[in-house]
C-alpha cells in the first residue's frame, strides 16, 4: 500500500482544506485536549496532573504528555505508567542529565525527585490551512536538595495535525527550549532524553519491527544515528505505526537513537527516542531559544523505506508557498 499523500503533500493539504474544512476539531474536557477527525480521536494531550496507581510513589505524577495517540483506523499506539517504568508517559520529552547552577537535575526519572517537566498553560489553539494546532507552555523544574522548586527552562510545545487520508495523517511536533534565568543550562550527554515514545503494550519482539534511514533493524538501531526511523507492528488483525522524521536543522542531526532491543523486559516491549544529547552535551545559553522539529507520519498498513525517504525529503526541503486568493 502506498501513502501517496507523502509525495504530493502540499496538494493533499490544500485539497483536504477545500473539501473538508470542518473535519478536524478540538475538544477539551477533564484536563485533556483531544484532536479528532470527525468523531474519531487522533490525539489526546493531557494537561492535568495524572497520578500513579494507588500504592505507587506519588513522585511519578505527571502532566503535559500525549496519550492516547491513535492510528487512522483507531488503534492506540501509546502507553503510560507501565509497571516496569512508571515514569513513561506515552509521548513526552523531558531531559535526563541537566547541569544547572552546579547541580545535576533529572526531569525524566521522576522517582529521583531531582526535577520534573509539567504543563503550565496553553498559548493558543487554532485551525490553520488544512490542520489543527495547539501551543502549550511546559516547564522544566529543578527540585533542589532542600525540597524547593525552581523553573529553569521554558519548553514551548507546538502540535499540528494535518494532511490525512484514510490510512495516514501527519503529526508535526515543534519543541522550543529557552532558559528562564541568567544561568546557562547544559543538557549533558546521556543515553536517553528528549522526544520519546513508549509504544503500545500490544507489541513485542515477535510482532513489531524497526527500520532506520541507515538500514538498521530493531536489534541494531540503538546508539546509531538516523534521519528517520519507522516503528510498526501488528495491531489486532491490522498493521500500523509511526515513521519518525528528524529535521536537518535539529541539534546533532542526524540524531542518535535510543531503541529498546528485542530482548527488552523479557518480552520485547518497545520504546523509541530521538535523543540529540545521547553522545554529546548541548549548551543552552540565557537569552536564546533552541528549536527541535519533528514530523511523525502516523499510518495503517506497512510503511516502506521508499515512503519514509520521500516523506523525509519533503519535510527537510519544504518550499515556501504563497497562496493568492
Amino acid at each position: 500500500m502506498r501513502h501517496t499523500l507523502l509525495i504530493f503533500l502540499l496538494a493533499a493539504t490544500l485539497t483536504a482544506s477545500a473539501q473538508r474544512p470542518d473535519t478536524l476539531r478540538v475538544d477539551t474536557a477533564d484536563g485533556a485536549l483531544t484532536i479528532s477527525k470527525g468523531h474519531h480521536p487522533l490525539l489526546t494531550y493531557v494537561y492535568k496532573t495524572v497520578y500513579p496507581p494507588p500504592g505507587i510513589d506519588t513522585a511519578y505524577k505527571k502532566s503535559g504528555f500525549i496519550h492516547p495517540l491513535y492510528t487512522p483506523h483507531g488503534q492506540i499506539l501509546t502507553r503510560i505508567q507501565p509497571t516496569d517504568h512508571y515514569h513513561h508517559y506515552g509521548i513526552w520529552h523531558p531531559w535526563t542529565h541537566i547541569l544547572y547552577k552546579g547541580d545535576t537535575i533529572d526531569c525524566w526519572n521522576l522517582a529521583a525527585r531531582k526535577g520534573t517537566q509539567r504543563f503550565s498553560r496553553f498559548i493558543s489553539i487554532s485551525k490553520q490551512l488544512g490542520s489543527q494546532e495547539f501551543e502549550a507552555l511546559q516547564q522544566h523544574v529543578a527540585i533542589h536538595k532542600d525540597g524547593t522548586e525552581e523553573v529553569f527552562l521554558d519548553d514551548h510545545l507546538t502540535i499540528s495535525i494535518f494532511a490525512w487520508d484514510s490510512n495516514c495523517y501527519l503529526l508535526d511536533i515543534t519543541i522550543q527550549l529557552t532558559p528562564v534565568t541568567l544561568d546557562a543550562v547544559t543538557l549533558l550527554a546521556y543515553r536517553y532524553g528528549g522526544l520519546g515514545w513508549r509504544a503500545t503494550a500490544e507489541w513485542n519482539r515477535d510482532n513489531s519491527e524497526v527500520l532506520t534511514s541507515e538500514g538498521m533493524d530493531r536489534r541494531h538501531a540503538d546508539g546509531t544515528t538516523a534521519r528517520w526511523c519507522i516503528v510498526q507492528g501488528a495491531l489486532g488483525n491490522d498493521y500500523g505505526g509511526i515513521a519518525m522524521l528528524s529535521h536537518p536543522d535539529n541539534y546533532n542531526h542526524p540524531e542518535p537513537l535510543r531503541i529498546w532491543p528485542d530482548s527488552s523486559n523479557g518480552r520485547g516491549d518497545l520504546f523509541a527516542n530521538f535523543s540529540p544529547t545521547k553522545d554529546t552535551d548541548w549548551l543552552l545559553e540565557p537569552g536564546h531559544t533552541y528549536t527541535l522539529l519533528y514530523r511523525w507520519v502516523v499510518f495503517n498498513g506497512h510503511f516502506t523505506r521508499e515512503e519514509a525517504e520521500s516523506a523525509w525529503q519533503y519535510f527537510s526541503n519544504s518550499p515556501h508557498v504563497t497562496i493568492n486568493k
Side-chain angles (χ1 to χ4, degrees):
M1 180 187 64
R2 292 287 173 182
H3 303 85
T4 55
L5 69 86
L6 297 176
I7 302 172
F8 300 106
L9 178 58
L10 177 61
T13 303
L14 297 176
T15 299
S17 178
Q19 294 181 357
R20 297 176 293 209
D22 298 319
T23 301
L24 288 176
R25 73 169 203 274
V26 166
D27 299 291
T28 56
D30 191 28
L33 179 153
T34 298
I35 300 177
S36 302
K37 176 186 174 185
H39 298 292
H40 302 285
L42 299 178
L43 171 153
T44 294
Y45 172 76
V46 181
Y47 57 91
K48 69 179 178 182
T49 299
V50 175
Y51 283 79
I56 303 302
D57 190 344
T58 58
Y60 287 111
K61 66 181 182 293
K62 180 82 175 76
S63 65
F65 59 91
I66 294 172
H67 175 75
L69 180 76
Y70 300 86
T71 69
H73 295 179
Q75 297 98 349
I76 294 175
L77 291 171
T78 51
R79 183 182 185 187
I80 67 169
Q81 298 177 341
T83 55
D84 58 349
H85 290 74
Y86 281 108
H87 56 278
H88 281 193
Y89 277 89
I91 297 167
W92 78 124
H93 58 277
W95 299 92
T96 313
H97 280 198
I98 309 163
L99 182 63
Y100 175 66
K101 289 185 176 179
D103 196 9
T104 301
I105 311 301
D106 185 346
C107 294
W108 184 290
N109 296 290
L110 300 175
R113 288 181 165 82
K114 292 184 177 181
T116 190
Q117 178 204 42
R118 63 191 179 205
F119 171 82
S120 176
R121 61 181 174 86
F122 284 110
I123 297 169
S124 69
I125 301 172
S126 61
K127 184 180 288 291
Q128 306 296 329
L129 180 62
S131 73
Q132 187 67 61
E133 177 178 293
F134 71 85
E135 299 177 69
L137 177 63
Q138 302 184 149
Q139 296 174 323
H140 276 69
V141 182
I143 302 175
H144 296 300
K145 293 177 182 178
D146 62 2
T148 60
E149 297 186 353
E150 180 185 7
V151 176
F152 67 95
L153 186 65
D154 273 355
D155 169 2
H156 183 159
L157 172 68
T158 303
I159 296 292
S160 302
I161 287 183
F162 63 102
W164 69 91
D165 64 16
S166 60
N167 295 307
C168 178
Y169 67 88
L170 304 183
L171 167 61
D172 277 8
I173 303 171
T174 302
I175 300 166
Q176 295 174 288
L177 304 172
T178 307
V180 298
T181 75
L182 297 178
D183 294 275
V185 174
T186 303
L187 306 180
L188 299 173
Y190 194 69
R191 59 195 175 94
Y192 56 83
L195 185 59
W197 165 33
R198 181 62 188 260
T200 170
E202 193 167 346
W203 287 348
N204 57 53
R205 68 169 61 89
D206 299 318
N207 66 359
S208 62
E209 58 182 305
V210 170
L211 177 65
T212 78
S213 58
E214 310 313 301
M216 299 297 177
D217 61 13
R218 183 173 179 188
R219 186 167 295 180
H220 302 98
D222 186 46
T224 65
T225 60
R227 295 173 288 114
W228 52 259
C229 179
I230 305 170
V231 181
Q232 57 189 335
L235 298 165
N237 296 323
D238 206 344
Y239 207 84
I242 300 172
M244 306 160 54
L245 317 179
S246 165
H247 196 277
D249 289 343
N250 286 0
Y251 183 73
N252 202 20
H253 181 90
E255 290 186 56
L257 288 163
R258 172 59 175 152
I259 303 290
W260 278 3
D262 55 11
S263 60
S264 63
N265 295 30
R267 62 174 229 117
D269 286 1
L270 218 162
F271 168 78
N273 172 210
F274 267 129
S275 184
T277 57
K278 188 178 179 74
D279 59 4
T280 189
D281 296 347
W282 189 7
L283 175 64
L284 310 182
E285 296 183 300
H288 297 271
T289 294
Y290 302 83
T291 301
L292 295 169
L293 303 170
Y294 300 97
R295 173 165 290 167
W296 287 18
V297 185
V298 187
F299 61 88
N300 280 106
H302 193 280
F303 214 76
T304 67
R305 171 194 295 273
E306 293 76 18
E307 289 173 324
E309 184 62 27
S310 174
W312 186 83
Q313 290 293 340
Y314 191 93
F315 179 48
S316 62
N317 298 288
S318 297
H320 175 75
V321 177
T322 299
I323 300 172
N324 295 319
K325 296 184 179 181

